[in-house]
Every structure is written in C-alpha cells, then in structure tokens.
Amino acid sequence: MGEKAATSQLIDRMVVALADQDAVVRRSACSALGMMGEKAATSQVIDRLVLVLGDRSEWVQENASSALGQMGEKAATTQVIDRLVVALGDPDEGIRSAALKGANKLLKLVSYTGQGLGDSDAREAEGMEKSNGYDGIDGISLQLF
C-alpha cells in the first residue's frame, strides 16, 4: 500500500474499520494506516489509534502500536507516548514489544527535532535503543524517565 494510497477517502474508511466488530478487520486497518505513514497521521487517525491501543485483541493492540510508530513526527505527541508507555506494562509480550518499538521510533523523532527531550534524555533513549534490552516495565520506565 504505502503513502501513495493515502487518500482522504481511504483514510476515512480505515478509521471506520478500526471500530469493526471483527478483530481481523481492526488489525488490518491499523496495519494499512501504518503503511500509509505520515500521510495518514491526522489528529482523527492518531486519536482513534490511541483508543485502539486498549482493544480487547492483543493483535489489534500490537498493530496500533506499530502504526503509531510508523506515522512519524506527527504522532509523537505526549498523549501517544504516554499511552505507549502504559502498554509497556501489558502482560502480553507482543504488545510490550510493539509498544517499545513504537515508543523508540517516536522518542528518536522527538529527540532529533528537539521537541521535548533534553540532551541527557535523548542520549538515554538512544542508548536504550542500541542496547535493545527490555527488563520489564520498571526497568524501561526508569530509562525513559
């Protein structure tokens, strides 16, 4: 798919699909929005994906985390990062992993654009990414904050 397919009509359809009763449809909508990248990163899409992070299906949650990470700088809001940090405490390993990847991408963007992290915080986030270590919510939250 990709950014070329990111028409407003298709994006609107994917937002509607995020509320579908079928988890496979919701998961696919998250994936499609993620592949559209920054072109799909409207405030409406980002808000819906943040809501979907609380979906009852772990696969939908994983794809929502991944989609937010793929949307780039527009998705690097305090609300999104806070919700991804909450997802780091999820009992499901796949959700934690997707949240960590999404948070890493967004924190890297924030640190490179100077929108919120100081130099020492940016170095910690970069070091965390390089170490690629995950030692549970307590360890990761200490590194992030």
Side-chain angles (χ1 to χ4, degrees), residues 46-58 60-62 64-66 68 75-91 95-96 98-100 102-103 106-107 137 144-145:
I46 292 167
D47 290 346
R48 275 301 289 157
L49 285 170
V50 168
L51 288 174
V52 174
L53 287 172
D55 195 275
R56 62 188 174 273
S57 165
E58 63 270 5
V60 174
Q61 291 178 36
E62 288 176 32
S65 292
S66 179
L68 286 164
T77 66
T78 302
Q79 176 192 21
V80 171
I81 293 171
D82 288 349
R83 189 59 186 97
L84 289 172
V85 169
V86 169
L88 290 171
D90 196 278
I95 293 170
R96 289 192 314 271
L100 182 60
L106 296 178
L107 287 171
I137 182 66
L144 287 172
F145 299 105

